Amino acid sequence: MLTTILYRSHICDNVSVKSLEEMVATANQRNGDADVTGILLFNGTHFFQLLEGPDESVSTIYQHICGDRRHYNLVELMRDYAPARRFGKAGMELFDLREHDKDDVLQTVLDKGTTKYQLFYDDRALQFFRTFVEATEKENYFEIPSADSWEFIVDDSLLPPAKVVPADSAACSFAFQPIIDPLAREVVALEALLRTPDGLPPQAWFEGLAGDEIYKADLNSKKIAFAMARDLGLRDRTLSVNLLPMTLVHIPGAVGLLLQEIEANGLVAEQIIVEFTEREVISRLDAFTDAVRQLKAAGIRVAIEHFGEGFAGLSLLAQFQPDKIKINRDLIRDMHKSGPRQAIIQAIIRCCTSLEITVTAVGVEKAEEWMWLESAGIYQFQGHLFASPCQAGIPAIRWPEKKIPFI
Ligand code: C2E
Ligand code: MN
């Protein structure tokens, strides 16, 4: 199948424009041998390349390009399939936009096209050419420094003197993970994550329960979460707990029970956030939003997590607006290299900014992911990069610190 890959990248400072010609000659040969053709646009700072050919060859060559140290901040914009090559003349042709008149540069690029028909104007690849040549998307090209420009300083000052152990009779346990604002060096909240008594993840715990039992057990487990948080010395910090949305619908008086347990453990409603996953179908949205109203009226804040992955997506926000939205690793993974992920995350940020909803990124493992998200306007993070969940305790936090370059 004829595959197309489009990407954009940033030239490294130490690469001369002269050396590009050599690079293109080598690429031309290599691509030609693999039956891959394409065109490489250059605007003095950024590259924009289209690769076309058999699926496997294009993927192999793209991987090779990703490892090339002459450019960085590589973002895959499009991977698609087409009936015919758009630029079939050369293995790789370099086109320097600066050598052409601004008004007809796009047409000059398109004239290099080899499709039988004029390149379609509703072709996505062509639209990408247009936005690159006209630089209309330039404010979204975040120039993030390399991961090794940061070091991470371990801070265990949040650690309690000893791990708390839930009572023997407890059917479950919790791990705690900080949510932080890395640049402000601030712990925004601690999240209580359900565990089996021997530390297995929530899924393993829920698997042992039948039918509607899960809702009752989910709610009751929060008693242990609050008690453990108290024993860990939560004091006036914010605590996030998770609930299945249907728990509030199926268990009569669920909100009252939560409030009772919060108070019994010396906590106040205003320091609690309840997170609902968007993965579970909210089949009775009216009953759910009614329960949310009760939580809000009591002072508890509400977050929707795994946002965009579930069944409702953006349309859920038309029905009700939470205080927070959490995007998780499925969207965050390698988003610094993916145009589609960046576009989705930016859309979520834009929407949440208009609604004054705070966005948190969960599952951040790489410094590049974090830096890109900071550039896009996210300030709250949760992930192994900063602190992994700690069973029955609070983990040390790794705060990022910019390395001072040697001169
Ligand atoms: P969540 O609330 O989004 O919790 C974050 C999950 O991501 C946790 O998985 C955590 O261990 C994991 N995580 C955090 N940082 C990273 C990272 O950098 N990389 C990766 N790969 N993972 C990271 P966990 O503890 O297995 O929880 C999974 C989900 O189970 C939670 O997602 C939440 O939706 C649900 N859950 C947790 N506790 C409860 C609970 O008490 N009740 C209910 N109903 N659901 C719960
Ligand atoms: Mn959560």
Side-chain angles (χ1 to χ4, degrees), residues 10 15 49 58 109 113 138 162 189 232 237 277 280 345 397:
H10 196 296
V15 179
Q49 184 168 17
V58 173
V109 174
K138 219 167 170 191
L232 285 167
R237 286 191 192 288
T277 176
E280 196 195 36
I345 292 170
I397 297 175

Side-chain angles (χ1 to χ4, degrees), residues 174 177 191-195 201-203 206 218 221-222 241-244 247 275 277 279 305-306 326 328-329 362-365 382-385 387-389:
F174 281 85
Q177 187 179 28
E191 176 167 8
L193 296 160
L194 187 65
R195 296 289 179 265
Q203 202 192 347
F206 281 119
D218 188 23
S221 73
K222 300 298 119 45
V241 295
N242 299 275
L243 276 183
L244 289 165
T247 295
E275 304 187 353
T277 176
R279 275 186 184 155
E305 64 180 14
H306 301 259
K326 297 179 84 174
N328 95 324
R329 178 127 192 95
V362 184
V364 181
E365 293 183 0
Q382 182 178 357
H384 296 335
L385 180 65
S388 299

Side-chain angles (χ1 to χ4, degrees), residues 10-31:
H10 196 296
I11 191 170
C12 290
D13 283 347
N14 57 358
V15 179
S16 69
V17 175
K18 186 93 192 74
S19 70
L20 291 183
E21 281 161 25
E22 211 175 286
M23 177 188 91
V24 169
T26 319
N28 203 4
Q29 176 75 41
R30 187 188 60 212
N31 296 3

